């Protein structure tokens, strides 16, 4: 292994500019003569907008213009679309009304943008927005997903019963038959709490228009700028695709919430043309709480059937998924094809049947959040498995190993074909590291200190490397999910990689350079990574679903194959040898069996000098591109074990021990991977213990600031023990599976399983706040006293 190649723990190259304040984020972009946008948002969760009176706003000093939904409608600026078609179990297409970028008729959640004020300064724009007089006809709101389908309150005329779809997956009859044969059935009611993404950098947009070229440019906080351009041109009519440039510079975290096109970047781009100057907007933190797509928000009834030996026979699930007020871009696939297809977990389950009802409420739209469907599925499966083992009196590790998939490839009853893995290896290694055999002693010692100690397992699996285009297309996706790359070798031998993937914390500038260093034998300081600009990079699908390594890097690898093949042809002429005799190793081309060689930079120079080989046989230059459409998903898996101590007097739960053993296939940079695992666990622990978005009955988000929405801090987390097992992924040449979402997927059930183990009963939901745990302790004591 080289010091900078695959497998080396290279420090992140991009971090120097970030920690020295030299990053270039969207809010750092300023264009001469720019104006500023401020959005007037609905104060009501459900209200018809009778009139917007802008007369007073236009008299505010510095106000340039005021626009409403009627202005967008005049210019045929379309609503935000849903990007994934789902059909109900009766075959009917989903009810998916578009989301107007400025309210047209009715506001459907608090924060829905009604009008935009353009000002000479940010202060002027905000003052103008406050001066707008909006006449509402306020309606009752519905915020409870379990009541919305039967509510007389209707959000959309085209969505009866406030329902988007009633969907199913699996064999209902076979599952019912298996349950009839079961000797034991475990049944749980499970809540997966609504979360606010809270990326460190708030969303921002700067729209600009060049009247000379007719080109609109938008700088935006996006995880996939090419998709943003496609949606804005093809569906929203903002500008023709060849006249629209989308730039996503440094992005300070996304976690899924920056995948989508939002009203603000559309309006800023459109308004820039209307006012003849650049228009800039950056969200305030409270705006982020009430406008960024939220995550999770499921209510599930789940049942697990086993035989007398504890062998799983079947799984049955009914989930209600809250989509919020509108179907966001990927929202409809999250509780269906990213959720139900993973309900087999790591287990060999013969029959599975899932029903999912997706409903609308007067709340912020819900979409993918780190893990996107996979955390929800893992929580259902791992809670069921843990509780079932307890009810049967079987050790939870033994129960899992008894039911693990052991032979690969393995076809699940819910579409997925698992290609490779060794689940017992991860579980066994995690048990060894945490000293599972010694847990009883630690529990007794904690009891002597007046603490309740519990241990919880989570053996998760996820489908990553999103996604095979043919597969997702057949399931309703509006686009293929391949990736592209271009390798440009300059005459001096340094290399530019243009990738359709986007980095917003993943470390692509380091890991992608490591791949190039390994393949071409050059230093990583000789490699630059270019991304995030639709004018520089060929079309790409962006970053989400742990796809950058398995899909994005494979595209780079394929392009490198082409570069190497052409370079060998050039080297054969330079060395006067047959192409078949040319070997390439450690940055040099040599003739097999001789000491004749030429370095990669020498070949690069000659590729452009182009007088030492016949141009009729070899074109000048050394630049190659490639697309990669994966043949299958990748399937990272692993085992996380959490130990928690509860103070029964205060209800405070302290995570005192954490072991994560993950199988990510081949690891490019173990240090970056470990950082990804740490961050994911922190978010998962936040969901399990602290975070929850709460609406009151009128539709007001009562947790709309950090005063009320509790985020995890350093003192909520222990030092993690992180390790890996390796089964290379067979569906890509690098053997990569993906790592970015694993911690957020594995952590919540590990935490709740540990807490319920400590409590001695299952009566607690996420988030397990100190108050909730204190009450659960009291309930347990009362029951014990009966």
């Amino acid at each position: 292994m080289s010091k900078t190649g695959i497998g080396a723990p290279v420090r992140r190259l991009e971090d120097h500019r970030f920690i020295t304040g030299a990053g270039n984020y969207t809010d750092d972009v300023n264009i001469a003569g720019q104006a500023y946008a401020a959005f007037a948002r609905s104060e009501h969760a459900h209200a018809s907008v009778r009139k917007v009176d802008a007369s007073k706003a236009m008299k505010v000093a510095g106000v340039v213009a005021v626009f409403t939904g009627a202005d967008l409608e005049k210019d045929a600026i379309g609503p935000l679309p849903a990007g994934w078609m789902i059909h109900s179990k009766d075959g009917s297409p989903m009810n998916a009304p578009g989301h107007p970028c400025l309210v047209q008729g009715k506001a459907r959640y608090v924060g829905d943008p009604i009008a935009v004020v353009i000002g000479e300064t940010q202060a002027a724009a905000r003052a103008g927005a406050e001066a707008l007089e909006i006449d509402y006809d306020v309606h009752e709101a519905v915020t409870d997903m379990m009541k919305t389908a039967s509510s007389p309150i209707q959000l959309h005329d085209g969505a009866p019963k406030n329902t988007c779809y009633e969907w199913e997956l699996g064999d209902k009859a076979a599952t019912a038959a298996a349950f009839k044969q079961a000797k034991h059935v475990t049944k749980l009611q499970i809540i997966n709490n609504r979360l606010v993404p809270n990326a460190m950098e708030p969303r921002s947009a700067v729209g600009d228009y060049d009247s000379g070229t007719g080109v609109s440019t938008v700088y935006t906080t996006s995880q996939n700028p090419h998709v943003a351009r496609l949606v804005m041109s093809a569906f929203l009519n903002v500008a023709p695709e060849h006249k629209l440039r989308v730039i996503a510079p440094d992005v300070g975290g996304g976690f899924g919430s920056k995948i989508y096109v939002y009203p603000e970047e559309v309006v800023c781009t459109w308004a820039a043309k209307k006012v003849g100057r650049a228009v800039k907007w950056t969200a305030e933190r409270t705006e982020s709480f009430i406008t960024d797509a939220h995550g999770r928000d499921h209510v599930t009834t789940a049942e697990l059937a086993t035989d007398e030996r504890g062998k799983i026979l079947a799984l049955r699930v009914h989930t209600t998924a809250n989509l919020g007020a509108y179907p966001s871009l990927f929202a409809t696939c999250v509780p269906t094809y990213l959720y139900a297809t993973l309900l087999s977990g790591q287990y060999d389950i013969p029959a599975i049947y899932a029903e999912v009802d997706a409903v609308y409420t007067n709340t912020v739209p819900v979409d993918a959040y780190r893990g996107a469907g996979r955390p929800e599925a893992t929580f259902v499966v791992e809670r069921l498995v843990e509780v079932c083992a307890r009810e049967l009196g079987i050790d939870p590790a033994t129960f899992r190993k008894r039911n693990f998939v052991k032979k690969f490839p393995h076809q699940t009853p819910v579409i997925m074909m698992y290609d490779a893995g060794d689940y017992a290896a991860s579980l066994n290694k995690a048990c060894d590291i945490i000293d599972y055999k010694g847990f009883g002693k630690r529990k007794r010692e904690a009891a002597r200190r007046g603490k309740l100690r519990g241990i919880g397992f989570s053996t998760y699996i996820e489908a990553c490397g999103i996604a095979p285009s043919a597969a997702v297309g057949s399931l309703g996706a509006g686009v293929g999910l391949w990736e592209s790359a271009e390798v440009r070798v300059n005459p001096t031998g340094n290399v530019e990689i243009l990738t359709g993937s986007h980095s917003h914390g993943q470390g692509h500038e380091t890991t992608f350079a490591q791949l190039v260093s390994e393949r071409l034998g050059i230093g990583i300081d000789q490699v630059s990574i270019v991304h995030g600009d639709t004018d520089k990079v060929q079309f790409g699908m962006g970053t989400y679903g742990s796809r950058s390594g398995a899909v994005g890097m494979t595209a780079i690898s394929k392009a490198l194959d082409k570069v190497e093949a052409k370079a060998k042809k050039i080297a054969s002429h330079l060395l006067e040898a047959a192409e078949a005799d040319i070997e390439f190793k450690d940055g040099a081309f040599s003739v097999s069996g001789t000491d004749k060689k030429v370095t990669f930079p020498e070949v690069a120079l000659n590729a452009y000098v182009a007088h030492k080989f016949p141009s009729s046989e070899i074109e000048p230059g050394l630049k190659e591109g490639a697309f990669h459409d994966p043949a299958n998903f990748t399937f990272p898996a692993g085992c996380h074990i959490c130990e928690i101590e509860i103070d029964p007097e205060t209800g405070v739960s302290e995570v005192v021990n954490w072991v994560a053993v993950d199988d990510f296939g081949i690891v490019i940079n173990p240090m970056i991977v470990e950082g990804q695992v740490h961050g994911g666990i922190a978010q998962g622990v936040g969901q399990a213990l602290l975070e929850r978005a709460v609406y009151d009955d009128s539709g007001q988000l009562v947790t709309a600031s950090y005063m009320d929405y509790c985020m995890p801090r350093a003192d909520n987390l222990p030092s993690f023990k992180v390790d890996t097992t390796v089964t290379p992924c067979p569906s890509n040449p690098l053997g990569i599976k993906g790592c970015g979402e694993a911690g957020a997927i594995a952590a919540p059930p590990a935490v709740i399983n540990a807490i319920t183990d400590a409590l001695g009963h299952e009566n607690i939901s996420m988030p397990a706040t100190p108050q909730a745990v204190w009450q659960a302790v009291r309930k347990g004591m009362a029951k014990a006293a009966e």
Side-chain angles (χ1 to χ4, degrees):
M1 181 180 71
S2 73
K3 292 182 179 180
T4 60
I6 292 174
V10 177
R11 289 190 177 184
R12 291 181 11 142
L13 304 177
E14 50 269 74
D15 281 353
H16 181 265
R17 74 173 185 273
F18 293 146
I19 63 177
T20 57
N24 184 40
Y25 299 90
T26 300
D27 191 55
D28 294 320
V29 174
N30 292 290
I31 298 172
Q34 72 188 16
Y36 295 83
F39 288 85
R41 302 184 183 278
S42 177
E43 300 171 355
H44 304 284
H46 197 196
S48 296
V49 178
R50 290 171 172 162
K51 183 181 179 183
V52 178
D53 186 344
S55 56
K56 291 183 180 179
M58 288 301 298
K59 293 177 182 178
V60 173
V63 168
V64 174
V66 176
F67 300 111
T68 66
D71 298 301
L72 291 179
E73 198 169 17
K74 286 176 187 176
D75 283 3
I77 302 300
L80 302 174
W84 199 300
M85 171 57 72
I86 302 296
H87 288 82
S88 288
K89 62 183 75 171
D90 65 2
S92 61
M94 67 185 186
N95 304 311
H99 183 186
C101 293
L102 294 175
V103 165
Q104 295 172 10
K106 198 194 304 190
R108 292 178 172 87
Y109 63 95
V110 173
D112 212 353
I114 294 174
V116 63
V117 177
I118 311 299
E120 297 283 355
T121 65
Q122 193 175 68
R126 289 175 179 170
E130 290 175 2
L132 287 173
E133 295 183 342
I134 302 173
D135 184 15
Y136 296 98
D137 179 10
V138 180
H139 312 304
E140 277 192 81
V142 56
T143 60
D144 188 335
M145 76 173 93
M146 302 308 292
K147 296 178 180 178
T148 186
S150 59
S151 172
I153 303 163
Q154 288 293 297
L155 273 72
H156 303 280
D157 293 338
K161 299 193 302 180
N162 293 325
T163 297
C164 181
Y165 54 74
E166 296 174 333
W167 178 84
E168 65 180 352
L169 183 66
D171 190 326
K172 184 177 183 179
T175 303
F179 269 85
K180 285 183 178 180
Q181 298 298 317
K183 298 299 182 183
H184 181 83
V185 173
T186 294
K187 186 173 183 179
L188 290 177
Q189 185 86 5
I190 294 170
I191 296 173
N192 208 291
N193 40 321
R194 176 184 279 241
L195 304 175
V196 180
N198 281 308
M200 188 176 292
E201 176 201 27
R203 288 190 299 110
S204 183
V206 183
D208 194 19
Y209 178 71
D210 186 330
S211 60
T213 62
V215 171
S216 292
T217 300
V218 58
Y219 296 83
T220 182
T221 46
S222 175
Q223 296 178 219
N224 49 358
H226 285 91
V227 173
R229 183 180 69 165
L230 175 63
V231 171
M232 290 173 70
S233 61
F235 297 95
L236 303 183
N237 197 37
V238 173
E241 194 169 9
H242 69 298
K243 294 289 188 179
L244 178 60
R245 181 183 185 185
V246 178
I247 302 171
D250 289 330
V251 173
F255 313 120
S257 69
K258 293 175 182 173
I259 296 173
Y260 331 112
V261 178
Y262 286 91
E264 291 83 7
E265 56 255 40
V266 175
V267 171
C268 285
T269 309
W270 170 82
K273 184 176 180 179
K274 301 293 285 187
V275 301
R277 57 201 291 190
V279 174
K280 181 175 183 176
W281 168 82
T282 299
E284 295 181 323
R285 184 54 68 177
T286 295
E287 276 188 294
S288 296
F289 271 94
I290 62 172
T291 64
D292 290 4
H294 291 180
R296 314 291 192 249
D297 213 4
H298 287 190
V299 174
T300 296
T301 299
E303 299 173 278
L304 190 69
T306 64
D307 66 15
E308 65 278 359
R309 298 177 295 107
K311 184 70 178 70
I312 298 174
L313 301 177
L315 173 69
R316 187 160 52 199
V317 169
H318 184 281
T319 293
T320 301
N322 189 356
L323 298 184
Y326 295 95
S328 181
L329 189 64
F330 284 164
T332 55
C333 76
V334 173
T336 52
Y337 292 114
L338 294 181
Y339 165 70
T341 56
L342 274 301
L343 286 172
S344 192
Q346 295 186 9
Y347 308 105
D348 183 6
I349 305 178
I352 298 175
Y353 178 66
E355 294 177 288
V356 178
D357 297 339
V359 297
Y360 297 118
T361 61
N362 292 115
T363 62
V364 173
V366 176
D367 210 316
Y369 172 69
R370 196 171 190 171
R374 282 73 54 85
E376 296 93 317
T378 298
F379 193 75
V380 169
V381 174
E382 288 304 292
R383 284 292 291 132
L384 275 174
V385 165
E386 191 84 8
V387 174
C388 184
R390 292 169 184 171
E391 290 176 348
L392 293 172
I394 302 173
D395 174 81
T398 301
F399 184 81
R400 284 173 167 82
K401 285 189 279 189
R402 185 173 297 173
N403 286 285
F404 278 160
V405 172
K406 299 176 178 67
K407 294 181 180 180
F408 296 89
H410 174 79
Q411 178 64 59
T412 74
V414 280
I415 297 178
M416 292 300 182
M417 171 77 79
Y418 299 166
D419 51 12
D422 187 345
Y423 307 145
S426 297
L427 176 58
N428 290 335
K429 194 171 191 178
C431 286
D432 289 343
I433 294 171
I434 207 165
D435 182 22
Y436 182 48
K437 293 179 180 178
F439 173 72
K441 180 179 179 182
R442 297 192 294 277
K443 186 177 181 72
R444 291 189 294 273
E445 189 276 331
R448 287 193 290 271
R449 291 184 282 107
K451 300 293 180 69
L452 305 175
R453 190 167 181 131
I455 191 166
F457 289 79
S458 176
T459 50
Y460 74 95
I461 190 168
E462 50 174 328
C464 294
I466 294 175
S469 295
V472 297
S474 70
L475 301 177
V479 292
L481 295 178
W482 41 263
E483 196 48 82
S484 68
E486 185 177 307
V487 177
R488 295 179 182 174
V489 182
N490 295 320
T492 53
N494 47 46
V495 177
E496 298 171 57
I497 302 295
L498 287 78
T499 173
S501 298
H502 187 276
S503 182
H504 38 276
Q506 291 84 355
H508 293 174
E509 291 176 38
T510 306
T511 54
F512 288 12
Q514 286 181 255
L515 171 62
V516 178
S517 175
E518 177 92 5
R519 289 291 304 274
L520 300 183
I522 61 177
I524 57 174
D525 60 341
Q526 297 297 302
V527 184
S528 64
I529 309 299
V530 180
H531 64 91
D533 186 337
T534 60
D535 268 15
K536 292 181 178 180
V537 178
Q538 66 290 339
F539 201 100
M541 298 310 298
T543 294
Y544 42 85
S546 301
R547 70 190 306 270
S548 296
V551 188
M553 290 184 76
T554 297
I556 296 171
S557 180
K558 287 184 172 181
L560 288 168
D561 290 341
K562 297 178 182 180
V563 166
E564 183 179 332
K566 184 174 181 179
K568 280 186 175 180
K569 289 183 179 181
I570 297 170
S572 72
H573 285 278
L574 298 176
L575 296 170
E576 299 179 331
E579 185 181 336
D581 293 334
I582 300 298
E583 297 177 346
F584 182 50
K585 184 179 180 182
D586 298 330
F589 297 88
S590 60
V591 180
S592 178
T594 75
D595 60 357
K596 293 173 65 177
K597 67 179 181 179
V598 61
T599 66
F600 180 77
E602 290 173 318
V603 169
L605 180 61
N606 277 278
Y608 291 92
V609 173
H611 65 257
K612 294 190 177 181
F613 54 86
S615 58
S616 61
E617 295 181 19
I618 308 173
E619 290 183 357
L622 195 52
K623 180 183 79 169
E624 300 288 346
F627 286 74
H628 175 63
D629 196 351
N632 192 8
F633 293 90
T634 66
F635 297 98
C639 176
H640 288 217
I641 306 177
C642 168
E643 286 189 46
I644 275 182
E645 282 191 359
I646 295 172
D647 183 340
E649 298 303 317
T650 64
V652 171
S653 301
E654 180 184 4
V655 181
V656 293
N657 202 355
W658 195 290
V659 169
V661 178
D662 301 289
D663 180 359
F664 298 135
I666 301 300
V667 171
I668 303 297
N669 186 317
M671 183 171 63
I672 287 177
V673 166
E674 184 169 347
Q676 288 286 318
V677 173
H678 284 197
I681 294 171
Q683 285 182 274
V685 170
Q687 176 176 11
L689 294 181
L690 304 166
E691 298 182 52
R692 181 174 57 152
V694 179
Y695 282 88
D696 67 16
D697 290 341
S698 70
Q700 295 292 329
L701 181 63
V702 298
T703 53
S705 78
Y706 292 131
M707 292 293 290
D708 302 294
Y709 188 94
C710 189
M711 297 283 287
R713 302 181 302 181
D715 60 358
N716 297 121
L717 305 166
S719 292
F720 305 118
K721 301 181 184 76
V722 176
D723 211 324
T724 58
T725 58
V726 178
T727 56
C729 176
S731 64
N732 66 73
L734 300 174
I736 296 171
K737 294 185 179 181
C739 69
E741 298 164 295
I745 293 168
V751 171
I752 298 302
N753 284 339
I755 287 175
T756 53
D757 181 54
L759 291 172
H761 65 82
E762 312 298 337
N763 298 322
I764 194 164
S765 297
M766 294 191 294
T769 62
Q771 180 184 25
V773 173
W774 185 87
Q775 290 172 339
V777 170
R778 306 274 89 69
K779 289 178 182 176
M781 292 169 63
K783 187 174 182 180
E786 290 177 357

